[in-house]
Amino acid sequence: MSLLGKQLEVKDFFKFDQVGGIVAKTIGWMLLAVQKLATDLFFVILFVIFLLPTIPKICKGVELHLAKKNARRFASVIAQIEKNIIGYLVTKTGISLGTAFFSGIIMLLFGVKFIVVGVLLLFALNFIPNIGSIIAVFIVLCSYALSNEIGRASC
């Protein structure tokens, strides 16, 4: 490429000696993020495993210390909360399944490789509010771009 009579090359715009450091820092940051996610997930699962079996006992204990009228009201509020949570999870699962299914069809039409992995990512990450779907689509788009060599200069 020529600009104002001067021949320009890629090395004029890009410092190849710094690529290793940038890649190392990026990989280190990503590993720390994965480690934090795994640690948080482990503690959440551990907490849920020990908390779920004790919920009925906690409710009974609270009901014993309340007056009869308040105990019934407390039980009805707990039942309503449980019903709403189940409804939310059923709805969210249905939406996630639908999104994953139709996205899988679109990926199939575009010839994306690893469709099953993409569909599973879309399904699972759709449960993360606001950004989960965006992250999943970004991962699938990157996979598509890399597998089809999009952005690679042709000689």
Side-chain angles (χ1 to χ4, degrees), residues 17-82:
D17 57 335
Q18 295 178 353
V19 171
I22 293 170
V23 169
K25 286 180 184 177
T26 303
I27 290 173
W29 177 81
M30 290 171 71
L31 288 174
L32 283 174
V34 168
Q35 177 192 12
K36 176 155 179 39
L37 178 69
T39 304
D40 290 349
L41 185 63
F42 171 75
F43 283 117
V44 166
I45 290 171
L46 192 66
F47 182 72
V48 167
I49 286 172
F50 288 109
L51 182 66
L52 284 178
T54 62
I55 288 177
K57 292 178 184 176
I58 292 171
C59 289
K60 292 285 185 197
V62 170
E63 288 174 2
L64 287 175
H65 296 306
L66 294 175
K68 245 186 191 204
K69 180 182 174 186
N70 290 339
R72 278 182 289 192
R73 185 169 172 228
F74 176 76
S76 109
V77 167
I78 293 296
Q80 186 64 37
I81 289 171
E82 190 174 330

